[in-house]
Amino acid sequence: MEPAHGTKEPQGNGIDVSQKSWIQRTRDFRSRRALPLSSAIILILLCALIYPNFDSLPHSLHLHRGPAPLTSPQDTNRPKHMRLIIPASSGDANLCKTVFSAAALGYPIPVFINWNQTYEDPNLIFGGSHIAKIGGVLEHLQSLPPKADDDLVLIIDGYDVWFQLRPQTLVERYLDITKRQNSRLQGFQQQVIFSAQKRCWPKGPEHPACWAVPNSTLPVDVYGPETDHEVDDEKNPFLKFRQRFLNSGSAIGPVSAIRAIYERASEKAQLDTNIGSDQGIFAEIFGEQEYARRRSEPSLLDWSLDMSRNYEFGLGLDYNSELLQATVFSEYDTAWIRRGADDEVRTAYEEAEIPLRSLDRDPTKASRNSLRGPTNSSMPESGVIHNTANPFETFHGSLEAADWSQVSLFTNLWTGISPIAVHHNAHRDGLKSRREEHWPRLWLQPHLRDLLREHIYSPIQPLASVGEQQWWTHSVRRDGIEFAGGYLPYAELCNNGLETEIFRDDSGPWINPMADL
């Protein structure tokens, strides 16, 4: 389904905002607020020249609005940074889609790990690239200053992930998942959340990664009476299994907690350089943690584990796929829908042959997730999007008059949840082609140039705020990516013919709108 264009919103000058070109909107804005815009641009340029790493900015420049931050480590409300890490060794159009979807929504500039590196060791699985991801991420995390330990870091796969919701919603959901899970745990605290999937892979059924991990928190009837039973599908008998196994497509948590997990993963990789994929290592760490937590249970299978060492990492999973929806083993659970278009929603459920139990449009229940499959159980409120600006809202104004119910969102039809990001890791039957075929369905793709320009022109401001806590970008740069020892502008990363697939607008290469300033 193509993204909705929304309705036109008349402005004070009588001109429809949807009919104005980006250039005209910028001129209008400049004529009204020339001094603030000029000041913002000058501030950004000066900061980039004087403090190329935002970590070194003085607090007076970190927070150009609001109170000065407290520096006491006991102050949990001091401003923190949000960091985005993407393992990527070379560029292509799909990598640019990941980067641009993040930028258009206001995420911090990403740091590429292992950029320009090659991995072709014939003695290692995948040439050694998967193991190198662990070492590269760990090296970067270890290079951060101690004050970054409480920063929130998000690590994602680089060639098949698209963002569709803002950092504000990401932080809210991360905190909500952590709070819900910690209310269930006894004596343990969850800090890090990895993605979840339906099949235990690549570990075999004899490993704790497959049998010691907890049951999913999804309702026991989320897929109807066949939930957690194999189905008659030769290619994927796991279709009706609830997600309870680790997927390494994304991880989020405090820098210090993520670093500890990567240190343990690096130890395992060094013990066996041909151990396989990074997912196998992280799944092993999760399985050992859960076995250690449950080792006193009399019914637990025996497993040889050195209990003299620490296995607790505060690691948990995103069972509801509220943060990132892995499509592998869930190939047909999802659809692109406008949540407010009832006929469109019903059609999507009918085509997927999924019963639509609830389509509740009662405005007094707006905080509830109004889309559900056959489950009788309640789902978390994060099926809806609130406390964040509308999709096309920018610092200059709204590009289009549309709310989140009017744009096309990738949605799990069984749970009714639209995740923060889509992970196109389904690969059977050529499903990787969805990275090209579904790209125009992402609501921001037809507006990508305008959204990127608006992002580059916007002033530095919090990426997310919850209560008195704020999260800020770690860098003032907006038009590129960082990697070890360098910076690469979008024009070098995503042009040279790639722009044709990325923008699909016949407007030529990407040009930084601030290049001539």
Side-chain angles (χ1 to χ4, degrees), residues 341-351 354 356 359:
D342 290 2
D343 290 343
E344 188 175 304
V345 169
R346 291 190 180 94
T347 298
Y349 275 83
E350 290 172 0
E351 290 179 349
I354 297 174
L356 177 60
L359 188 53

Side-chain angles (χ1 to χ4, degrees), residues 430-449:
L431 289 180
K432 275 290 186 181
S433 63
R434 287 177 173 175
R435 293 180 299 172
E436 291 75 39
E437 295 169 0
H438 286 198
W439 179 232
R441 301 187 186 185
L442 183 64
W443 68 266
L444 56 81
Q445 189 280 328
H447 313 271
L448 191 54
R449 282 188 197 267

Side-chain angles (χ1 to χ4, degrees), residues 90-316:
S90 61
D92 69 7
N94 286 309
L95 178 63
C96 291
K97 292 173 184 178
T98 300
V99 172
F100 280 174
S101 67
L105 285 161
Y107 283 85
I109 182 174
V111 175
F112 281 4
I113 301 298
N114 298 334
W115 184 245
N116 282 334
Q117 302 298 311
T118 57
Y119 302 95
E120 299 175 349
D121 190 331
N123 299 313
L124 297 178
I125 296 176
F126 305 114
S129 62
H130 282 225
I131 302 304
K133 287 167 60 176
I134 293 174
V137 171
L138 177 58
E139 183 178 355
H140 175 72
L141 294 175
Q142 290 176 333
S143 73
L144 299 176
K147 65 181 180 181
D149 279 1
D150 291 333
D151 289 352
L152 188 64
V153 60
L154 172 64
I155 305 171
I156 61 167
D157 282 357
Y159 298 92
D160 52 9
V161 173
W162 302 343
F163 288 89
Q164 64 174 357
L165 299 177
R166 297 187 189 279
Q168 176 70 32
T169 308
L170 168 72
V171 172
E172 289 177 345
R173 291 189 182 183
Y174 163 75
L175 294 175
D176 185 51
I177 294 169
T178 302
K179 180 180 179 181
R180 295 198 312 261
Q181 191 62 17
N182 284 338
S183 69
R184 301 185 186 100
L185 295 173
Q186 295 182 350
F188 303 103
Q189 288 290 312
Q190 178 173 298
Q191 295 187 77
V192 175
I193 303 175
F194 273 75
S195 300
Q197 65 181 43
K198 296 180 179 182
R199 180 186 178 187
C200 186
W201 184 92
K203 296 297 180 182
E206 73 287 348
H207 196 278
C210 298
W211 54 262
V213 297
N215 283 324
S216 174
T217 58
L218 281 168
V220 295
D221 61 347
V222 65
Y223 301 117
E226 294 181 303
T227 300
D228 287 343
H229 294 282
E230 290 190 6
V231 296
D232 186 18
D233 187 312
E234 183 178 330
K235 295 180 179 179
N236 184 8
F238 311 99
L239 280 171
K240 298 296 179 69
F241 278 48
R242 291 178 294 165
Q243 296 92 291
R244 62 178 291 216
F245 305 111
L246 185 143
N247 179 278
S248 62
S250 74
I252 184 172
V255 166
S256 58
I258 293 278
R259 185 175 58 233
I261 293 173
Y262 271 81
E263 287 172 346
R264 178 60 178 143
S266 179
E267 289 179 16
K268 287 182 173 291
Q270 291 172 11
L271 289 173
D272 183 1
T273 56
N274 210 21
I275 196 171
S277 72
D278 59 321
Q279 175 159 309
I281 293 178
F282 291 122
E284 189 171 299
I285 292 171
F286 182 47
E288 290 174 349
Q289 171 189 277
E290 296 308 309
Y291 179 85
R293 287 180 176 182
R294 300 175 56 195
R295 65 185 184 277
S296 61
E297 296 180 13
S299 61
L300 195 65
L301 295 175
D302 187 34
W303 182 260
S304 178
L305 203 61
D306 178 11
M307 298 309 300
S308 66
R309 69 170 302 147
N310 174 56
Y311 295 99
E312 181 57 47
F313 293 97
L315 195 163

